Amino acid sequence: MSRLAAKFAELKASGRKALIPFITAGDPHPEFTVPLLHDMVAAGADIIELGVPFSDPMADGPVIQRASERALAHHVGLRKVLSMAMEFRKTDQSTPLVLMGYLNPIEIMGYQDFANAVARAEVDGVLTVDLPPEEAEDCVRLLREREIDQIFLLAPNTTAERIQKMHEVGSGYLYYVSLKGVTGAGHLDTADVEDKLKLIRANTDLPVGVGFGVKDAETAKVIADIADGVVVGSALISKIEANPDDPDQAKREIIALLKSMRVAIDH
Amino acid sequence: MTDKYPRGQKYDMPDTRGHFGPYGGIFVAETLMPAITELNEAYQRYIDDPEFIAELDADLRDYVGRPSPLYHAKRWSEHLGGAQVYLKREDLNHTGAHKVNNTVGQALLAKRMGKTRIIAETGAGQHGVATATVAARLGLECVVYMGAVDVARQALNVYRMKLLGAKVVPVESGSKTLKDALNEALRDWVTNIDNTFYIIGTVAGPHPYPAMVRDFQAVIGREAKRQCLDQAGRLPDALVACVGGGSNAIGLFYPFIDETDVAMYGVEAAGDGIATGRHSAPLCAGRPGVLHGNRTYLMADDDGEIIETHSISAGLDYPGVGPEHAWLKDTGRANYVNITDDEALEGFHALTRMEGIIPALESSHALAYTMKLAPTMRKDQIIITNLSGRGDKDMHTIMQREGISL
């Protein structure tokens, strides 16, 4: 069983929901990332999505775009992110780690080399924003041979037919993007999410994480009540942006927010 | 279907999912998939619909001013001392470039799909102007995304778009140029999918854009073929066109792909020279990757990050290229060459002085290559060079470059 499947099974057995923070690797500087990953686990993160900086993050809003730009200023690209993942794994053998990013870095590395590299780094899942299931066959096969999950996004306007396709091709979990638009945008409509989750669950038994619009403990709780996992990204990265000269303060605020979410979710 | 949209030729790329061999495809976030599907259905339905085609043809004739002339540049040909050079005069279209062929077509599609809001990206501003123009004519809301760097260097076109009623949004992210404008337009589209039509200006983006923009631009090649037969009694020996994203080139090339005796030359921007790394020539010096929804040749570093490009011509300043060009390169059907900023300026001056036609800097790359190619050919041979746009917009750039003040 993959680390992700094991984690969701364990959570289910104890009646809990996954707290899944997203941060961009290398933001605001490369040395910040691995210690932050460990601290987030200590604060209650069940799974971590680690963003691979990309020069052209088409599906991201301004907060995550700027995180990518800060990381790229330190030349943090896919190869560096893989080495961070490897370092994290040295002292944490249990927390699933998912790389989230865009396809071009993987294309340039080559699918085979990429699959080998993520296996070597003991990364558990890969979420490639601009790789829909129709184009994902080669990549998924290489990852699956190495027991690495390919995670797909679902959108509010995704049809039942496409959900079934994600179910066939994807594994680990599905990530439901609960808003139309880019990351960090707008407000959450719980009733909409609930309706959509019904459609999703009718077409797949994969766990569903919900993200986009999770800003605080309250929204995290609302989502946790209806989904299998809560993804929080822009709200965390905003803390880095709000403290440009004091990364330690940013980290304290990130950890405090995650802890408050953990408490709310488990309550 | 009439022979006007000759997709019945032997060459039948792309496949139903937009693949040109390994290139093209649909590489977008899930949030965009429904919009892409809706657009593809509309495009497939209307591109063969006689009523749609009739309306498009009428617009191209009465509003754009087509057919554009095929002009035998006799004096310049004589001077070059080789092949006879014919210029396809896309510079004489309404708004001054080939871009309008495509915006007229996509705007008609938008209208049929019931979309009330048009968005576009633009580099030099030609596509933005052509989009704002058709939006004004159809009374549609129009938002144009333009890199902040380009807004500063193309002030005249920004003003034209504003006059036409478009909102121009300067894009401050990334390198603040065309690729970032495209990113921002995609973000807008994801957010406003219900009422918004995204008019992409080149043969890039996810399927169906590369095929759709090609089909709208192929009027260039269809006319050129007929005009060449009328004027010279035979087909040309070579076609030359500049390639940024590659829409004017594919428009000229496409109807000739099955005519294997016709050589094709796509001219990329070598900027300061390929060896300096400061260029915009992904086909000549890049590698395959995925950007903006399709697989194609790109300028990317070893981490897959997109490299900043350079060209004196803002319209060629793009790190990718249409996937069909990638395919034509790999199959050897078309040749891709490059021309530096300095050489392009020579082409610019040559045509201006020899023929009294002031070309756009983009088209000047094609002219500069024509100057190299023509002397290597016989006098009874024919080159058709696509004069994709007029040079008025570039006066400021050229004056600055050459240290001229009035």
Side-chain angles (χ1 to χ4, degrees):
Chain A
M1 194 186 284
S2 76
R3 234 185 239 113
L4 276 167
K7 174 61 78 176
F8 276 106
E10 171 202 320
L11 286 164
K12 195 169 186 183
S14 59
R16 293 167 72 230
K17 300 299 176 71
L19 177 59
I20 310 173
F22 168 95
I23 58 156
T24 299
D27 173 33
H29 61 80
E31 289 70 37
F32 187 74
T33 303
V34 176
L36 175 62
L37 299 183
H38 289 304
D39 290 351
M40 291 197 301
V41 173
D46 297 298
I47 296 163
I48 290 175
E49 289 182 356
L50 186 59
V52 181
F54 184 49
S55 51
D56 295 80
M58 289 150 284
D60 285 300
V63 171
I64 294 179
Q65 284 175 46
R66 288 191 293 261
S68 254
E69 286 176 17
R70 287 191 294 271
L72 287 172
H74 295 282
H75 306 288
V76 177
L78 178 56
R79 291 170 299 178
K80 179 74 185 157
V81 177
L82 284 162
S83 73
M84 289 176 180
M86 201 176 269
E87 200 188 327
F88 169 76
R89 194 54 83 213
K90 277 183 196 160
T91 49
D92 185 330
Q93 283 296 315
S94 63
T95 308
L97 191 63
V98 173
L99 294 190
M100 181 168 175
Y102 292 81
L103 184 57
N104 197 50
I106 300 172
E107 287 263 327
I108 297 296
M109 181 177 279
Y111 289 178
Q112 180 95 35
D113 287 355
F114 173 72
N116 288 335
V118 290
R120 213 161 37 238
E122 294 184 63
V123 165
D124 305 285
V126 175
L127 198 169
T128 308
V129 176
D130 53 350
L131 183 63
E134 290 86 351
E135 300 282 358
E137 216 171 279
D138 293 346
C139 200
V140 166
R141 182 176 42 79
L142 288 163
L143 292 175
R144 207 166 257 179
E145 284 167 9
R146 291 159 181 78
E147 295 188 348
I148 298 156
D149 294 311
Q150 178 89 46
I151 293 144
F152 286 97
L153 292 173
L154 297 171
N157 44 13
T158 301
T159 59
E161 189 192 356
R162 289 190 65 77
I163 296 169
Q164 286 160 18
K165 201 170 283 174
M166 317 275 180
H167 173 80
E168 279 164 33
V169 184
S171 58
Y173 60 100
L174 293 172
Y175 179 0
Y176 175 54
V177 174
S178 58
L179 296 168
K180 284 185 196 171
V182 294
T183 50
H187 295 285
L188 201 61
D189 186 330
T190 321
D192 277 0
V193 176
E194 230 171 333
D195 281 351
K196 193 69 190 187
L197 279 170
K198 274 182 204 147
L199 177 71
I200 295 171
R201 295 204 196 280
N203 289 283
T204 180
D205 55 4
L206 283 171
V208 183
V210 174
F212 281 34
V214 179
K215 290 185 179 348
D216 48 26
E218 197 182 327
T219 43
K221 165 75 178 160
V222 169
I223 293 297
D225 284 347
I226 53 178
D228 302 300
V230 180
V231 185
V232 53
S234 297
L236 301 180
I237 291 172
S238 299
K239 307 295 185 193
I240 294 176
E241 198 155 80
N243 296 283
D245 303 319
D246 193 352
D248 288 337
Q249 177 60 24
K251 190 196 274 188
R252 281 191 291 275
E253 292 181 18
I254 287 171
I255 297 306
L257 180 56
L258 276 180
K259 279 183 174 164
S260 71
M261 288 180 166
R262 181 80 263 169
V263 170
I265 290 172
D266 290 345
H267 196 63
Chain B
M1 196 166 106
T2 69
D3 64 348
K4 294 209 63 181
Y5 290 84
R7 282 175 297 147
Q9 61 180 344
K10 211 168 77 199
Y11 174 85
D12 63 353
M13 292 287 184
D15 71 14
T16 52
R17 278 173 37 219
H19 296 112
F20 301 88
Y23 303 108
I26 301 176
F27 293 90
V28 296
E30 188 56 29
T31 38
L32 268 183
M33 286 305 291
I36 300 273
T37 306
E38 185 191 2
L39 172 64
N40 193 30
E41 283 167 7
Y43 153 70
Q44 300 295 348
R45 179 173 155 204
Y46 289 115
I47 198 68
D48 291 329
D49 173 41
E51 237 174 80
F52 179 85
I53 296 303
E55 190 175 349
L56 175 61
D57 285 349
D59 277 358
L60 290 175
R61 183 185 66 231
D62 304 331
Y63 188 67
V64 174
R66 303 205 72 91
S68 69
L70 182 72
Y71 166 69
H72 184 185
K74 287 182 189 153
R75 183 160 181 258
W76 196 39
S77 304
E78 187 67 24
H79 176 79
L80 293 174
Q84 300 307 305
V85 179
Y86 287 71
L87 302 173
K88 183 60 177 160
R89 297 292 308 274
E90 293 299 301
D91 59 319
L92 294 177
N93 291 339
H94 179 42
T95 71
H98 73 289
K99 291 292 184 188
V100 73
N101 301 329
N102 168 51
T103 60
V104 161
Q106 288 199 49
L108 285 183
L109 203 53
K111 206 173 81 175
R112 288 228 178 1
M113 291 170 71
K115 304 290 182 183
T116 55
R117 181 172 176 269
I118 298 284
I119 58 169
E121 84 296 336
T122 197
Q126 289 305 102
H127 173 60
V129 168
T131 302
T133 298
V134 296
R137 177 166 173 255
L138 296 178
L140 301 170
E141 182 189 349
C142 181
V143 177
V144 179
Y145 291 93
M146 189 169 184
V149 169
D150 292 332
V151 168
R153 64 182 173 181
Q154 300 288 341
L156 189 64
N157 271 343
V158 173
Y159 184 57
R160 287 170 81 191
M161 287 184 268
K162 286 184 178 169
L163 280 176
L164 290 159
K167 183 180 166 200
V168 180
V169 181
V171 176
E172 300 282 354
S173 57
S175 61
K176 304 177 190 185
T177 58
L178 177 57
K179 76 175 178 71
D180 310 285
L182 223 149
N183 293 337
E184 208 54 41
L186 284 168
R187 291 182 189 116
D188 179 312
W189 200 25
V190 170
T191 311
N192 301 295
I193 269 172
D194 295 338
N195 69 343
T196 298
F197 190 103
Y198 179 17
I199 299 188
I200 291 187
T202 192
V203 285
H207 180 66
Y209 283 103
M212 178 171 68
V213 176
R214 174 197 71 193
D215 287 349
F216 287 137
Q217 290 293 359
V219 66
I220 301 172
R222 286 197 303 272
E223 286 177 4
K225 203 171 187 178
R226 199 183 62 230
Q227 290 165 323
C228 191
L229 287 169
D230 285 351
Q231 293 180 33
R234 62 182 193 84
L235 291 178
D237 298 282
L239 307 174
V240 180
C242 65
V243 176
S247 68
N248 89 81
I250 217 78
L252 177 64
F253 293 177
Y254 180 58
F256 288 94
I257 290 180
D258 279 355
E259 314 283 357
T260 48
D261 290 340
V262 181
M264 298 173 174
Y265 297 91
V267 187
E268 293 195 303
D272 291 343
I274 297 288
T276 66
R278 283 175 48 77
H279 60 81
S280 304
L283 289 168
C284 293
R287 48 176 148 188
V290 167
L291 180 69
H292 294 150
N294 68 95
R295 184 180 285 122
T296 186
Y297 280 81
L298 296 176
M299 300 199 21
D301 68 15
D302 290 342
D303 267 324
E305 309 297 344
I306 304 305
I307 299 172
E308 287 193 22
T309 52
H310 169 78
S311 169
I312 189 173
S313 137
L316 302 182
D317 208 347
Y318 179 67
V321 62
E324 192 160 19
H325 286 295
W327 174 246
L328 293 176
K329 171 192 160 76
D330 281 12
T331 56
R333 178 61 189 95
N335 308 288
Y336 293 90
V337 296
N338 56 85
I339 283 292
T340 64
D341 288 353
D342 288 339
E343 291 171 325
L345 281 170
E346 284 175 37
F348 172 87
H349 287 300
L351 194 74
T352 303
R353 302 250 176 85
M354 284 278 165
E355 296 287 351
I357 299 171
I358 300 179
L361 280 173
E362 289 79 9
S363 322
S364 298
H365 287 72
L367 297 167
Y369 188 73
T370 303
M371 288 165 69
K372 291 185 177 182
L373 182 64
T376 69
M377 295 167 67
R378 294 190 317 270
K379 287 194 173 182
D380 63 345
Q381 291 186 297
I382 294 172
I383 298 174
I384 295 180
T385 297
N386 203 7
L387 187 49
S388 55
R390 68 179 184 223
D392 307 46
K393 70 183 174 62
D394 296 316
M395 294 299 101
H396 186 66
T397 305
I398 291 162
M399 282 165 64
Q400 255 184 349
R401 172 96 177 193
E402 301 187 339
I404 298 161
S405 57
L406 296 178

